[in-house]
Amino acid sequence: MNNQEREGGMFALTVNGTRQQVDVAPDTPLLWVLRDNLGITSVKYSCGIAECGMCTVLIDGTARRSCVVPIEEVDGSAITTIEGLPDDHPVKIAWIEKQVPQCGYCQPGIMLQTVDFLSRVPHPSETEINNAMDDVICRCGSHPRIRKAIRMAAKITASQGG
């Protein structure tokens, strides 16, 4: 790493509706900016290589693995963590109703991936749900409840005209 890469810079983000500025190195992963600079610990670290989904956030509405997204890439973007979803969001309602979490470590990332998925596929088939969740890891094995909650969230959204 050369000296220019080590220098910090000011980056602006809107996180859960609040404008934030951070002074960090341009290659700092968004995960660490959220956790270490902004104190948002719902965004979890697990693999560090975008394989597990624990660190998933919404960046301008699209689910991304924050452990591999450098802050310079998202300067000016809107970031949503699980705290940014309203309590009456269909995914939150379904997760509670279907009692999805066991340990809960992976759930914020999986829920945000579900939000993105349902925004693109509002009436998913079982195969589409399985494919969309194929790349997230839940060590507790709550995938059967996750699939039920996704179906329920889709129904809630459809009933609300979404």
Side-chain angles (χ1 to χ4, degrees):
M1 194 180 287
N2 64 39
N3 284 339
Q4 188 176 21
E5 289 173 333
R6 292 175 196 234
E7 291 179 15
M10 289 300 285
F11 298 94
L13 306 167
T14 301
V15 181
N16 299 327
T18 302
R19 185 130 169 101
Q20 304 279 356
Q21 285 197 2
V22 293
D23 185 6
V24 297
D27 61 347
T28 304
L30 176 60
L31 167 70
W32 299 117
V33 170
L34 293 170
R35 289 185 63 82
D36 295 345
N37 297 88
L38 301 177
I40 301 174
T41 57
S42 65
V43 184
K44 304 298 188 204
Y45 174 78
S46 186
C47 71
I49 57 172
E51 290 292 323
C52 69
M54 303 309 108
C55 67
T56 300
V57 297
L58 298 177
I59 301 173
D60 295 327
T62 301
R64 301 268 312 272
R65 306 292 166 86
S66 65
C67 69
V68 296
V69 176
I71 189 70
E72 67 184 342
E73 185 180 314
V74 294
D75 188 27
S77 294
I79 311 298
T80 304
T81 68
I82 198 66
E83 294 86 356
L85 290 185
D87 289 341
D88 63 349
H89 191 283
V91 170
K92 279 189 173 180
I93 292 169
W95 246 249
I96 292 167
E97 178 69 26
K98 296 301 180 184
Q99 299 179 2
V100 173
Q102 190 163 323
C103 83
Y105 191 84
C106 62
Q107 297 307 310
I110 293 173
M111 292 170 75
L112 291 167
Q113 184 158 324
T114 298
V115 169
D116 177 34
F117 168 62
L118 290 177
S119 74
R120 293 178 288 104
V121 185
H123 307 287
S125 68
E126 288 301 310
T127 300
E128 290 169 319
I129 292 170
N130 290 337
N131 289 340
M133 296 296 120
D134 186 49
D135 68 344
V136 294
I137 297 170
C138 171
R139 291 184 173 109
C140 296
S142 66
H143 283 88
R145 293 189 306 273
I146 289 169
R147 286 191 294 277
K148 288 178 186 176
I150 291 171
R151 287 191 299 273
M152 181 180 182
K155 287 178 185 175
I156 292 169
T157 302
S159 74
Q160 294 174 345

